[in-house]
Coordinates of all heavy atoms in Angstrom, one line a residue:
M25 N -3.0 112.0 10.8 CA -3.6 110.7 10.5 C -2.5 109.8 9.7 O -2.2 108.7 10.2 CB -4.8 110.9 9.4 CG -5.4 109.6 9.1 SD -6.6 108.9 10.0 CE -7.6 108.0 8.9
G26 N -1.9 110.4 8.8 CA -0.9 109.6 8.1 C 0.3 109.3 9.0 O 0.9 108.3 9.0
I27 N 0.7 110.3 9.8 CA 1.8 110.1 10.8 C 1.4 108.9 11.8 O 2.3 108.1 12.2 CB 2.1 111.4 11.6 CG1 2.8 112.3 10.6 CG2 3.0 111.2 12.8 CD1 2.9 113.8 11.0
K28 N 0.2 109.0 12.3 CA -0.2 108.0 13.2 C -0.2 106.6 12.7 O 0.4 105.7 13.2 CB -1.7 108.3 13.6 CG -2.0 107.8 15.0 CD -3.4 108.3 15.4 CE -3.7 107.8 16.8 NZ -5.1 108.1 17.2
D29 N -0.5 106.4 11.5 CA -0.5 105.1 10.8 C 1.0 104.7 10.6 O 1.3 103.5 10.8 CB -1.1 105.3 9.4 CG -2.6 105.3 9.4 OD1 -3.2 105.1 10.5 OD2 -3.3 105.7 8.4
R30 N 1.8 105.6 10.2 CA 3.2 105.4 10.1 C 3.9 104.8 11.3 O 4.6 103.9 11.4 CB 4.0 106.4 9.5 CG 4.7 106.0 8.2 CD 5.4 107.2 7.7 NE 4.7 108.5 7.4 CZ 5.1 109.7 7.2 NH1 6.4 109.8 7.3 NH2 4.3 110.7 7.0
L31 N 3.5 105.6 12.5 CA 4.1 105.1 13.8 C 3.7 103.7 14.1 O 4.4 103.0 14.6 CB 3.5 106.1 14.8 CG 4.4 107.4 14.9 CD1 3.7 108.4 15.9 CD2 5.8 107.2 15.3
F32 N 2.3 103.5 13.9 CA 1.8 102.2 14.2 C 2.6 101.0 13.5 O 3.0 100.0 14.0 CB 0.3 102.1 13.7 CG -0.6 101.9 14.9 CD1 -1.6 102.7 15.3 CD2 -0.3 100.7 15.7 CE1 -2.3 102.5 16.3 CE2 -1.2 100.4 16.7 CZ -2.2 101.3 17.1
G33 N 2.8 101.3 12.1 CA 3.5 100.4 11.2 C 5.0 100.2 11.8 O 5.4 99.0 11.9
R34 N 5.7 101.3 12.2 CA 7.0 101.1 12.7 C 7.1 100.3 13.9 O 8.0 99.4 14.2 CB 7.6 102.5 13.0 CG 8.0 103.1 11.7 CD 8.8 104.4 12.1 NE 10.0 104.0 12.8 CZ 11.2 104.7 12.7 NH1 11.2 105.8 12.0 NH2 12.3 104.3 13.4
K35 N 6.1 100.5 14.8 CA 6.0 99.7 16.1 C 5.8 98.3 15.8 O 6.6 97.4 16.4 CB 4.8 100.2 16.9 CG 5.0 100.1 18.4 CD 3.9 100.7 19.2 CE 3.8 100.2 20.5 NZ 2.5 100.5 21.1
D36 N 5.0 98.0 14.9 CA 4.8 96.5 14.5 C 6.0 95.9 14.0 O 6.4 94.7 14.3 CB 3.7 96.3 13.5 CG 2.2 96.6 14.1 OD1 2.2 96.7 15.4 OD2 1.3 96.7 13.4
D37 N 6.7 96.6 13.0 CA 8.0 96.1 12.4 C 9.0 95.8 13.6 O 9.6 94.7 13.5 CB 8.5 97.1 11.6 CG 7.8 97.1 10.3 OD1 6.9 96.3 10.1 OD2 7.9 98.1 9.5
A38 N 9.1 96.7 14.5 CA 10.1 96.5 15.6 C 9.8 95.3 16.4 O 10.8 94.5 16.7 CB 10.2 97.9 16.4
A39 N 8.5 95.1 16.7 CA 8.3 94.0 17.6 C 8.5 92.7 16.9 O 8.9 91.7 17.5 CB 6.7 94.0 18.0
E40 N 8.2 92.8 15.5 CA 8.5 91.6 14.7 C 9.9 91.2 14.7 O 10.4 90.0 14.8 CB 8.0 91.8 13.3 CG 7.6 90.5 12.6 CD 7.2 90.9 11.1 OE1 6.2 91.7 11.1 OE2 7.8 90.4 10.3
V41 N 10.8 92.1 14.6 CA 12.2 91.9 14.5 C 12.7 91.3 15.8 O 13.5 90.4 15.8 CB 13.0 93.3 14.3 CG1 14.5 93.0 14.5 CG2 12.7 93.7 12.8
V42 N 12.3 91.9 17.0 CA 12.7 91.5 18.3 C 12.3 90.0 18.5 O 13.2 89.2 18.9 CB 12.1 92.3 19.3 CG1 12.2 91.6 20.8 CG2 12.8 93.7 19.4
S43 N 11.0 89.6 18.2 CA 10.7 88.2 18.5 C 11.3 87.3 17.5 O 11.8 86.2 17.8 CB 9.1 88.2 18.3 OG 8.9 88.3 16.9
R44 N 11.7 87.7 16.3 CA 12.4 86.8 15.3 C 13.8 86.6 15.9 O 14.4 85.5 15.8 CB 12.5 87.6 14.0 CG 12.2 86.6 12.9 CD 12.4 87.2 11.5 NE 11.4 88.2 11.4 CZ 11.5 89.2 10.4 NH1 12.6 89.3 9.6 NH2 10.6 90.2 10.3
E45 N 14.4 87.5 16.5 CA 15.8 87.4 16.9 C 15.9 86.6 18.2 O 16.7 85.7 18.3 CB 16.4 88.9 17.4 CG 17.1 89.4 16.1 CD 17.6 90.8 16.6 OE1 17.5 91.2 17.7 OE2 18.3 91.5 15.7
A46 N 14.8 86.7 19.0 CA 14.7 86.0 20.3 C 14.6 84.4 20.0 O 15.0 83.7 20.7 CB 13.6 86.5 21.0
E47 N 13.9 84.1 19.0 CA 13.5 82.8 18.7 C 14.7 82.0 17.9 O 14.8 80.8 17.8 CB 12.3 82.7 17.9 CG 11.1 82.7 18.7 CD 9.8 82.8 18.0 OE1 9.7 82.1 16.9 OE2 8.9 83.4 18.3
A48 N 15.6 82.9 17.3 CA 16.7 82.3 16.6 C 16.2 81.1 15.6 O 16.5 79.9 15.9 CB 17.8 81.7 17.5
P49 N 15.6 81.5 14.7 CA 15.0 80.3 13.8 C 16.0 79.4 13.2 O 17.1 79.8 12.8 CB 14.3 81.2 12.6 CG 15.0 82.5 12.5 CD 15.3 82.8 14.1
G50 N 15.6 78.2 13.1 CA 16.4 77.2 12.5 C 17.2 76.4 13.6 O 17.8 75.4 13.3
C51 N 17.3 76.9 14.8 CA 18.1 76.3 15.8 C 17.1 75.9 17.0 O 16.4 76.8 17.6 CB 19.2 77.2 16.3 SG 20.3 76.3 17.5
L52 N 17.3 74.7 17.4 CA 16.3 74.1 18.4 C 17.0 74.2 19.8 O 16.5 73.9 20.8 CB 15.9 72.6 18.2 CG 15.0 72.5 17.0 CD1 14.7 71.1 16.7 CD2 13.7 73.2 17.2
H53 N 18.3 74.6 19.9 CA 19.1 74.8 21.0 C 19.2 73.4 21.7 O 18.9 73.4 22.9 CB 18.5 75.9 21.9 CG 18.3 77.2 21.3 ND1 19.2 77.8 20.5 CD2 17.2 78.0 21.3 CE1 18.7 78.9 20.1 NE2 17.5 79.0 20.6
A54 N 19.3 72.3 20.9 CA 19.3 71.1 21.4 C 20.6 70.6 22.0 O 20.6 69.5 22.7 CB 18.8 70.1 20.3
D55 N 21.7 71.2 21.8 CA 23.0 70.9 22.2 C 23.5 72.1 23.2 O 24.2 73.0 22.7 CB 23.9 70.7 21.1 CG 25.1 70.0 21.6 OD1 25.3 69.6 22.7 OD2 26.1 69.8 20.7
L56 N 23.2 72.1 24.4 CA 23.6 73.1 25.3 C 24.7 72.7 26.2 O 24.9 71.6 26.7 CB 22.4 73.4 26.3 CG 21.1 74.0 25.6 CD1 20.0 74.0 26.7 CD2 21.3 75.3 25.0
A57 N 25.6 73.7 26.3 CA 26.9 73.5 27.0 C 26.8 74.2 28.3 O 26.3 75.5 28.3 CB 28.1 73.8 26.3
E58 N 27.2 73.7 29.5 CA 27.1 74.4 30.8 C 28.2 75.5 30.7 O 29.2 75.2 30.1 CB 27.2 73.6 31.9 CG 26.0 72.6 32.1 CD 26.2 71.3 31.2 OE1 27.4 71.1 30.7 OE2 25.4 70.5 31.4
R59 N 27.9 76.6 31.4 CA 28.9 77.7 31.6 C 29.1 78.0 32.9 O 28.2 78.2 33.7 CB 28.6 78.8 30.7 CG 28.6 78.6 29.2 CD 28.0 79.9 28.5 NE 28.7 81.1 28.7 CZ 28.3 82.0 29.4 NH1 27.2 82.1 29.9 NH2 29.0 83.1 29.7
W60 N 30.4 78.3 33.4 CA 30.6 78.8 34.5 C 31.4 80.1 34.6 O 32.5 80.1 33.9 CB 31.4 77.7 35.5 CG 30.6 76.5 35.9 CD1 29.9 76.4 37.0 CD2 30.5 75.4 35.1 NE1 29.3 75.2 36.9 CE2 29.6 74.5 35.9 CE3 31.0 74.8 33.9 CZ2 29.2 73.2 35.5 CZ3 30.6 73.5 33.6 CH2 29.7 72.7 34.3
D61 N 31.1 81.2 35.3 CA 31.8 82.4 35.3 C 33.0 82.3 36.0 O 34.1 82.7 35.8 CB 30.9 83.4 35.8 CG 29.8 84.0 34.7 OD1 30.0 83.6 33.6 OD2 28.8 84.6 35.2
D62 N 33.0 81.5 37.1 CA 34.1 81.3 38.0 C 34.7 80.1 37.7 O 34.1 78.9 37.9 CB 33.6 81.4 39.4 CG 34.8 81.6 40.4 OD1 35.9 81.2 40.0 OD2 34.6 82.1 41.5
A63 N 35.9 80.1 37.3 CA 36.7 78.8 37.0 C 36.7 77.8 38.1 O 36.7 76.6 38.1 CB 38.1 79.1 36.5
A64 N 36.7 78.3 39.4 CA 36.7 77.4 40.6 C 35.5 76.7 40.7 O 35.5 75.7 41.4 CB 36.9 78.3 41.8
D65 N 34.4 77.2 40.1 CA 33.0 76.4 40.2 C 32.8 75.4 39.2 O 31.8 74.7 39.0 CB 31.9 77.4 40.2 CG 31.9 78.3 41.4 OD1 32.3 77.7 42.6 OD2 31.4 79.4 41.4
M66 N 33.7 75.3 38.2 CA 33.6 74.5 37.0 C 33.3 73.0 37.4 O 34.0 72.4 38.3 CB 34.8 74.5 36.1 CG 34.8 75.7 35.1 SD 35.9 75.6 33.8 CE 35.1 74.5 32.7
G67 N 32.3 72.4 36.9 CA 31.9 71.0 37.1 C 30.9 71.0 38.1 O 30.3 69.9 38.4
K68 N 30.6 72.1 39.0 CA 29.5 72.0 39.9 C 28.2 72.3 39.3 O 28.1 73.6 39.0 CB 29.9 73.0 41.1 CG 31.3 72.6 41.8 CD 31.6 73.7 42.9 CE 33.0 73.2 43.4 NZ 33.5 74.6 44.1
M69 N 27.3 71.4 39.3 CA 26.1 71.6 38.5 C 25.2 72.7 39.3 O 24.4 73.3 38.7 CB 25.3 70.4 38.5 CG 26.1 69.3 37.5 SD 26.5 69.9 35.8 CE 25.1 69.7 35.0
D70 N 25.3 72.8 40.5 CA 24.5 73.8 41.3 C 25.2 75.2 41.3 O 24.6 76.1 41.8 CB 24.3 73.3 42.8 CG 25.6 73.1 43.4 OD1 26.7 73.0 42.9 OD2 25.7 73.2 44.7
R71 N 26.3 75.3 40.5 CA 26.9 76.7 40.5 C 27.0 77.2 39.0 O 27.7 78.1 38.7 CB 28.3 76.6 41.0 CG 28.5 76.2 42.4 CD 28.1 77.2 43.5 NE 28.9 78.4 43.4 CZ 28.8 79.6 43.8 NH1 27.5 79.8 44.3 NH2 29.6 80.6 43.7
I72 N 26.2 76.5 38.1 CA 26.2 76.9 36.8 C 25.8 78.4 36.6 O 24.8 78.8 37.2 CB 25.2 76.0 36.0 CG1 25.9 74.6 35.8 CG2 24.9 76.5 34.6 CD1 25.0 73.6 35.2
S73 N 26.5 79.2 35.9 CA 26.1 80.5 35.6 C 25.2 80.7 34.4 O 24.6 81.8 34.1 CB 27.3 81.5 35.6 OG 28.5 80.8 35.1
G74 N 25.2 79.7 33.5 CA 24.3 79.8 32.4 C 24.7 78.6 31.4 O 25.5 77.7 31.7
Y75 N 24.0 78.7 30.2 CA 24.2 77.6 29.2 C 24.6 78.4 27.9 O 24.1 79.6 27.6 CB 23.0 76.9 29.0 CG 22.6 76.0 30.1 CD1 22.0 76.5 31.3 CD2 23.1 74.6 30.1 CE1 21.7 75.6 32.3 CE2 22.8 73.8 31.1 CZ 22.1 74.2 32.3 OH 21.8 73.4 33.3
E76 N 25.2 77.7 27.0 CA 25.6 78.3 25.8 C 25.2 77.2 24.7 O 25.5 75.9 24.9 CB 27.0 78.7 25.5 CG 27.3 79.1 24.1 CD 28.7 79.5 23.9 OE1 29.6 79.7 24.9 OE2 29.1 79.6 22.7
C77 N 24.4 77.6 23.6 CA 23.9 76.6 22.7 C 25.3 76.3 21.8 O 25.9 77.3 21.2 CB 22.9 77.1 21.7 SG 22.4 76.1 20.4
R78 N 25.6 75.1 21.5 CA 26.8 74.7 20.7 C 26.4 75.0 19.1 O 27.3 75.1 18.4 CB 27.2 73.3 20.8 CG 27.9 73.1 22.1 CD 28.4 71.6 22.2 NE 29.0 71.4 23.5 CZ 28.6 70.7 24.5 NH1 27.3 70.2 24.4 NH2 29.2 70.4 25.6
G79 N 25.2 75.0 18.8 CA 24.7 75.3 17.4 C 24.8 76.7 17.0 O 25.4 77.0 16.1
C80 N 24.2 77.6 17.8 CA 24.1 79.1 17.3 C 24.8 79.9 18.4 O 24.8 81.2 18.2 CB 22.6 79.4 17.3 SG 21.8 79.4 19.0
H81 N 25.4 79.4 19.4 CA 26.2 80.1 20.3 C 25.5 81.2 21.1 O 25.9 82.1 21.6 CB 27.5 80.6 19.6 CG 28.4 79.7 19.1 ND1 29.1 78.8 19.8 CD2 28.7 79.4 17.8 CE1 29.8 78.0 18.9 NE2 29.4 78.3 17.8
Q82 N 24.2 81.1 21.2 CA 23.3 81.9 22.1 C 23.5 81.5 23.5 O 23.7 80.4 23.8 CB 21.9 81.8 21.6 CG 21.0 83.0 21.8 CD 19.6 82.8 21.2 OE1 19.4 82.3 20.1 NE2 18.7 83.1 22.1
H83 N 23.5 82.5 24.3 CA 23.6 82.3 25.8 C 22.3 82.3 26.5 O 21.5 83.1 26.0 CB 24.5 83.3 26.4 CG 26.0 83.2 26.0 ND1 27.0 83.9 26.6 CD2 26.6 82.2 25.2 CE1 28.1 83.6 26.0 NE2 27.9 82.6 25.1
F84 N 22.2 81.4 27.4 CA 20.9 81.4 28.3 C 21.2 81.4 29.8 O 22.3 81.0 30.2 CB 20.2 80.1 27.9 CG 19.9 79.9 26.5 CD1 20.7 79.1 25.6 CD2 18.8 80.5 25.9 CE1 20.4 79.1 24.3 CE2 18.5 80.4 24.5 CZ 19.4 79.8 23.6
S85 N 20.2 81.9 30.4 CA 20.4 81.7 31.9 C 20.1 80.4 32.3 O 19.7 79.5 31.6 CB 19.2 82.6 32.5 OG 18.0 82.2 32.4
P86 N 20.4 80.1 33.6 CA 20.4 78.6 34.1 C 18.9 78.1 33.8 O 18.7 77.0 33.6 CB 20.8 78.6 35.6 CG 21.7 79.9 35.5 CD 21.2 80.8 34.6
E87 N 18.0 79.1 34.2 CA 16.5 78.6 34.2 C 16.1 78.4 32.7 O 15.4 77.3 32.5 CB 15.7 79.8 34.8 CG 15.9 80.1 36.3 CD 17.0 80.9 36.6 OE1 17.7 81.5 35.7 OE2 17.5 80.8 37.7
E88 N 16.6 79.3 31.8 CA 16.2 79.1 30.5 C 16.9 77.8 29.8 O 16.2 77.1 29.2 CB 16.7 80.3 29.6 CG 15.9 81.5 29.7 CD 16.4 82.6 28.8 OE1 17.6 82.8 29.1 OE2 15.7 83.3 28.1
G89 N 18.1 77.5 30.3 CA 18.8 76.4 29.8 C 18.2 75.1 30.3 O 18.0 74.1 29.5
Q90 N 17.7 75.1 31.6 CA 17.1 73.9 32.1 C 15.7 73.7 31.4 O 15.2 72.5 31.2 CB 16.9 74.0 33.6 CG 18.2 73.6 34.3 CD 18.3 74.3 35.7 OE1 17.3 74.6 36.3 NE2 19.5 74.4 36.2
R91 N 15.1 74.8 31.2 CA 13.7 74.7 30.5 C 13.9 74.0 29.1 O 13.3 73.2 28.6 CB 13.1 76.0 30.4 CG 11.6 76.0 29.9 CD 11.1 77.3 29.8 NE 11.8 78.4 29.2 CZ 11.8 78.5 27.9 NH1 11.0 77.8 27.1 NH2 12.4 79.4 27.3
L92 N 14.9 74.6 28.3 CA 15.2 74.0 27.0 C 15.7 72.6 27.0 O 15.2 71.9 26.2 CB 16.4 74.9 26.4 CG 16.0 76.3 25.9 CD1 17.2 77.2 25.6 CD2 15.2 76.2 24.6
Q93 N 16.4 72.3 28.0 CA 16.8 70.9 28.1 C 15.7 69.9 28.4 O 15.6 68.9 27.8 CB 17.8 70.7 29.2 CG 19.3 71.1 28.8 CD 20.3 70.9 29.8 OE1 20.1 71.0 31.0 NE2 21.5 70.6 29.4
A94 N 14.7 70.4 29.2 CA 13.5 69.6 29.5 C 12.8 69.6 28.2 O 12.1 68.4 27.9 CB 12.8 70.3 30.6
E95 N 12.6 70.7 27.5 CA 11.8 70.6 26.2 C 12.5 69.7 25.2 O 11.8 68.9 24.4 CB 11.8 72.0 25.6 CG 10.7 72.8 26.2 CD 10.9 74.3 25.7 OE1 11.4 74.5 24.6 OE2 10.2 75.3 26.3
N96 N 13.8 69.6 25.2 CA 14.6 68.8 24.2 C 14.2 67.3 24.6 O 14.0 66.4 23.7 CB 16.0 69.0 24.4 CG 16.3 70.3 23.7 OD1 15.8 70.8 22.8 ND2 17.5 71.0 24.1
E97 N 14.3 67.0 25.9 CA 14.0 65.7 26.3 C 12.6 65.2 26.1 O 12.4 64.1 25.5 CB 14.3 65.6 27.9 CG 15.7 65.2 28.2 CD 15.9 65.2 29.7 OE1 15.0 64.7 30.4 OE2 16.9 65.8 30.2
A98 N 11.7 66.1 26.2 CA 10.3 65.8 25.9 C 10.1 65.5 24.4 O 9.4 64.6 24.0 CB 9.3 66.9 26.4
R99 N 10.8 66.3 23.6 CA 10.7 66.3 22.1 C 11.3 64.8 21.8 O 10.9 64.2 20.8 CB 11.5 67.4 21.5 CG 11.2 67.5 20.0 CD 11.6 68.8 19.5 NE 12.7 69.4 20.1 CZ 12.9 70.7 20.6 NH1 12.0 71.4 20.6 NH2 14.0 70.9 21.1
L100 N 12.5 64.5 22.3 CA 13.1 63.2 22.1 C 12.2 62.2 22.4 O 12.1 61.2 21.5 CB 14.3 63.1 22.9 CG 15.8 63.4 22.1 CD1 17.0 63.3 23.1 CD2 15.9 62.5 21.0
K101 N 11.5 62.1 23.6 CA 10.7 61.0 24.0 C 9.5 61.0 23.0 O 9.0 59.8 22.6 CB 10.1 61.4 25.4 CG 11.0 60.8 26.4 CD 10.4 61.0 27.8 CE 11.5 61.1 28.9 NZ 11.0 61.7 30.0
E102 N 9.0 62.1 22.6 CA 7.8 62.1 21.7 C 8.2 61.5 20.4 O 7.6 60.7 19.7 CB 7.5 63.6 21.4 CG 6.0 63.8 21.2 CD 5.6 65.3 21.3 OE1 5.5 65.8 22.4 OE2 5.5 65.9 20.2
T103 N 9.4 61.9 19.9 CA 10.0 61.3 18.6 C 10.1 59.7 18.7 O 9.8 59.2 17.8 CB 11.4 61.8 18.3 OG1 11.3 63.3 18.4 CG2 11.9 61.5 16.9
M104 N 10.7 59.3 19.8 CA 10.8 57.9 19.9 C 9.5 57.2 20.0 O 9.3 56.0 19.5 CB 11.7 57.6 21.1 CG 13.1 57.9 20.9 SD 14.3 57.3 22.0 CE 14.1 58.4 23.5
A105 N 8.6 57.8 20.8 CA 7.2 57.2 20.9 C 6.5 57.1 19.6 O 5.7 56.2 19.4 CB 6.4 57.9 22.0
G106 N 6.8 58.1 18.8 CA 6.0 58.2 17.5 C 6.4 57.3 16.5 O 5.7 56.9 15.6
S107 N 7.7 56.8 16.5 CA 8.3 56.0 15.5 C 7.9 54.5 15.7 O 7.3 54.1 16.5 CB 9.8 56.1 15.5 OG 10.3 55.6 16.7
Ligands
LIG27 ZN1 20.8 77.4 19.4

């Protein structure tokens, strides 16, 4: 009984740590830099290998980076509309 409870507790703790790391609290990833693995592809927007946040230096896949950029734009528009 006691062991089962402890296992449960540990599992919850681990999940909490993972989600906290993934969200990188305090950084909105609003300043993303494009990254290219192959120098020959640099500057080609359709050959982007990923994005790096200039704030927290976290790396993102092209899909994630584009989603974050879209979210940032939406947030900007919301901020401007609200003022
Ligand atoms: Zn960031």
Side-chain angles (χ1 to χ4, degrees):
M25 179 84 155
I27 291 170
K28 213 176 175 186
D29 286 347
R30 237 181 301 163
L31 279 174
F32 242 122
R34 283 191 61 150
K35 209 175 155 192
D36 285 349
D37 285 349
E40 205 180 303
V41 168
V42 167
S43 68
R44 224 182 297 160
E45 274 179 357
E47 280 176 32
C51 186
L52 294 171
H53 313 311
D55 193 5
L56 296 174
E58 293 87 4
R59 294 174 57 251
W60 287 272
D61 285 341
D62 193 335
D65 290 333
M66 279 193 78
K68 297 176 190 167
M69 298 307 279
D70 58 338
R71 300 286 295 164
I72 286 172
S73 27
Y75 291 84
E76 180 181 344
C77 177
R78 289 189 179 99
C80 65
H81 299 289
Q82 205 174 313
H83 288 186
F84 303 97
S85 71
E87 292 79 18
E88 281 177 313
Q90 277 158 22
R91 186 176 57 80
L92 282 166
Q93 283 186 326
E95 280 176 16
N96 290 331
E97 272 175 42
R99 194 161 38 228
L100 259 175
K101 271 182 208 158
E102 215 170 277
T103 308
M104 285 192 285
S107 65

